[in-house]
Amino acid sequence: SYVDSLTGLLNKKSIIKYAEDALQSENREHIALSIIDIDDFKSVNDNFGHLFGDKVIKAVANVIKNAVGTSGVAGRIGGDEFFIVFEKLNNELEYRNVLRCIKTNVAIQYQDQMERKLSCSIGLARYGIGPFSTTYHDLFKIADRSLYLAKVKGKNRYIIYKPELHGDFNVQNDDDI
C-alpha cells in the first residue's frame, strides 16, 4: 500500500520515493521539501488518550492536504511528523503563504476541547538554496535542521532555510543528524 491508513496521505516509503523521483526530474529547481511536526504531541496523547491523538493527526493531515493543494504532495513519515514535496511554487512568498496557512489552521483544530492551542513547527529546504542542496538526502537534512531550529526558537513557527540567515549547515559532512 502507498497510503498511510490513518491519514490518507502517502506513507513514508511512498513520499520518500516521490521526493527522490521529483529531484531527478527536469523541473527539480522548483522542488522544496518540508517537514512538519505537531508540537508537544505526546501531551495530547497523555492528556486525552490515543484515540483523540489519532483524531488530531487526521485533522492536521487534512489541514496539510488542503493547504498544499495542487502545489505538491504530502505524506506522513512518523507518528506526528508529516512531509511535503512542493513542486509548483516559485518563490519564498508562495512557500510562506502555504506554511502560514498550515500553522494557522492547525491552531484552530480542537481549540474548544484543549487548554493549550495545538501548534506545529515546520522546516523547509529548497533545491539549490545553499551548499549541498541538490540531493534528497541533503535536502531532507536541511529541512530537518530547519525544523529543529523552529523548535529551539520556541515552536509554533516555520523556518525556510536561507544560508545567509542560518549559516552553512554543512550537511554533506554531518551524518549524525
Side-chain angles (χ1 to χ4, degrees), residues 21-35:
D21 291 347
L23 285 163
Q24 298 299 316
S25 74
E26 290 180 20
N27 294 328
R28 64 184 162 265
E29 67 274 358
H30 292 285
I31 301 297
L33 304 182
S34 185
I35 304 172

Side-chain angles (χ1 to χ4, degrees), residues 125 130-146 161 167-177:
F132 312 116
S133 61
T134 58
T135 68
Y136 167 76
H137 186 253
D138 291 339
L139 278 173
F140 187 90
K141 282 186 174 182
I142 293 169
D144 197 40
R145 273 224 167 146
S146 298
Y161 173 71
D168 179 1
F169 283 169
N170 195 21
V171 293
Q172 192 172 42
N173 299 321
D174 199 356
D175 290 328
D176 60 346
I177 295 176

Side-chain angles (χ1 to χ4, degrees), residues 50-104:
H50 290 273
L51 290 177
F52 184 78
D54 285 352
K55 286 182 181 181
V56 168
I57 287 172
K58 285 182 202 177
V60 171
N62 284 332
V63 165
I64 292 168
K65 184 179 176 181
N66 291 335
V68 170
T70 60
S71 64
V73 175
R76 181 174 172 218
I77 58 172
D80 65 320
E81 281 197 331
F82 301 89
F83 188 62
I84 301 170
V85 180
F86 287 106
E87 302 174 278
K88 297 179 182 166
L89 300 180
N90 297 307
N91 58 56
E92 186 176 331
L93 181 60
E94 292 178 351
Y95 291 112
R96 285 186 180 283
N97 287 339
V98 173
L99 299 181
R100 188 178 308 110
C101 178
I102 291 169
K103 193 173 87 61
T104 302

